[in-house]
């Protein structure tokens, strides 16, 4: 790839605003997690989503073996959790930020996230440096508030409504 295209792509992606999530799974009794914005709805029949995980991340190996994973959607004020799971902390120490509970499936989930989406890992594909995992949604927990922690242009942001009367 020529370097101009590569840097242009990175600059364009900085303008693709996304909700920050924490992906979590459990393997052999051990909890694993990673901050991710590469999360997309696939379809609603069956309810499914995809996540893109770099093979160099410590989360990749357990994610590739785990039968289930959870997508925890962060809210404004949870930037410290994003940082912990984005590389500033390692291993089990990541879970010292936030209140983490265990789902019926045994998956760690963040107690006060905007939403927790528990999936079975149903398929995966390699592309470039990443693996794309498809999750079939099994269970959802929703908090009352809609207050997404956004990531854009290399930093955190929050959304405001453009609807009439807002
Ligand atoms: C806001 C944000 C979004 C990120 N999104 C992704 C992503 O979608 N996929 C990915 O593989 N890494 C993503 N990362 C990087 C991983 O979180 C990071 O490489 C990983 O947590 C490093 O953990 P480790 O040191 O335990 O391997 C993101 C990081 C941040 C801060």
């Amino acid at each position: 790839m020529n370097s101009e295209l590569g840097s242009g792509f990175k600059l364009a992606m900085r303008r693709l605003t996304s909700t920050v999530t924490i992906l979590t799974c459990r393997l052999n009794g051990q909890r694993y997690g990673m901050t991710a914005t590469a999360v997309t709805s696939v379809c609603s029949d069956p309810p499914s989503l995809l996540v893109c995980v770099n093979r160099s991340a410590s989360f990749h190996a357990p994610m590739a073996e785990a039968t289930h994973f959870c997508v925890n959607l962060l809210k404004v004020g949870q930037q410290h959790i994003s940082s912990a799971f984005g590389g500033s902390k390692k291993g089990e120490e990541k879970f010292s930020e936030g209140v983490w509970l265990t789902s019926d499936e045994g998956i760690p989930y963040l107690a006060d996230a905007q939403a927790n989406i528990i999936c079975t890992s149903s398929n995966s594909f390699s592309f470039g440096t990443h693996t794309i995992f498809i999750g079939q949604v099994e269970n959802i927990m929703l908090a009352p508030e809609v207050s997404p922690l956004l990531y854009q242009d290399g930093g955190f942001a929050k959304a405001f409504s453009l609807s009439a009367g807002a």
Side-chain angles (χ1 to χ4, degrees):
M1 180 175 62
N2 75 54
S3 63
E4 206 175 313
L5 187 60
S7 54
F9 176 68
K10 284 180 187 163
L11 287 173
M13 289 301 100
R14 287 170 74 95
R15 298 168 186 203
L16 183 64
T17 303
S18 307
T19 295
V20 182
T21 77
I22 309 293
L23 307 180
T24 50
C25 68
R26 185 184 294 271
L27 188 68
N28 301 327
Q30 184 66 45
R31 300 186 289 182
Y32 297 93
M34 187 192 89
T35 302
T37 49
V39 175
T40 303
S41 166
V42 173
C43 63
S44 56
D45 187 17
S48 49
L49 50 76
L50 67 78
V51 302
C52 302
V53 179
N54 196 316
R55 278 192 299 280
S56 69
S58 63
F59 183 71
H60 187 274
M63 178 69 176
E65 272 198 62
T67 56
H68 294 75
F69 65 91
C70 182
V71 182
N72 302 274
L73 274 61
L74 296 190
K75 64 183 180 188
V76 171
Q78 293 181 323
Q79 295 89 316
H80 59 294
I81 304 178
S82 169
S83 302
F85 283 81
S88 75
K89 298 203 171 183
K90 299 294 168 195
E92 180 63 25
E93 204 195 332
K94 294 175 180 178
F95 290 91
S96 64
E97 297 291 347
V99 175
W100 292 90
L101 304 175
T102 302
S103 76
D104 292 344
E105 299 82 359
I107 313 306
Y109 70 94
L110 183 62
D112 57 350
Q114 283 195 102
N116 313 95
I117 307 172
I118 295 175
C119 302
T120 50
S121 195
S122 74
N123 217 332
S124 66
F125 314 88
S126 276
F127 189 84
T129 52
H130 282 57
T131 300
I132 301 155
F133 295 95
I134 307 280
Q136 194 162 325
V137 178
E138 300 290 349
N139 197 2
I140 290 178
M141 285 159 268
L142 285 177
E145 72 263 42
V146 177
S147 175
L149 176 62
L150 303 178
Y151 197 72
Q152 69 176 24
D153 200 19
F156 297 109
K158 64 180 178 181
F160 61 92
S161 175
L162 297 176
S163 305

